[in-house]
Amino acid sequence: MADLDLLDRRLLSALRANAREPVASLARQLDVTRATVTARMDRMVALGVIAGFSVRVREGQDPDTVRAVSFVEVRGRDTDNVIRTLRGLPGIRSMHTTNGGWDLVVEIRTDSLAGFDAVLASIRRTEGVVNSETSLLLTSVID
């Protein structure tokens, strides 16, 4: 994956919340110019970081969504670096530090098993990740 800085990751986060957000609004949120937002988006599209823009469907309304929770063990003091790396990965919806046997809990959501496999491979290849265990979420019984 291309090297993403904090601004790139913040932009991706804003686009995940609303991919139809106007560039002027994104620029205000990120405290940068519209030209900067446009250039960053164009660069990430050209590099394949942004694969496209799509509609978010209300939870439970899209039967083809693949959802999972991944528990991640991080080597020593690499947690901050691992979080920075994983933060911009497409398909990662949320990430939480935790106690116990795992260091991070990562929520994954993709539109296909191939997309899920790619996210999982990216997590496992991340420098500092020692181990992971992932469970697919099947039927939601309480939302």
Side-chain angles (χ1 to χ4, degrees), residues 101-142:
W102 302 101
D103 300 300
L104 298 172
V105 176
V106 179
E107 178 190 357
I108 301 167
R109 189 170 304 166
T110 64
D111 59 359
S112 68
L113 284 174
F116 168 72
D117 188 40
V119 172
L120 196 54
S122 294
I123 290 171
R124 291 177 175 162
R125 279 194 308 265
T126 299
E127 181 68 31
V129 170
V130 176
N131 191 17
S132 68
E133 179 177 320
T134 304
S135 294
L136 290 173
L137 301 176
L138 302 175
T139 302
S140 295
V141 294
I142 297 177

Side-chain angles (χ1 to χ4, degrees), residues 28 37 44 50 54 59 63 66 80 83 86-87 118 138-139:
R28 279 191 302 276
V37 170
M44 287 189 284
I50 296 176
S54 64
E59 187 73 35
V66 177
D80 290 341
I83 290 170
L86 297 183
R87 182 175 279 138
L138 302 175
T139 302

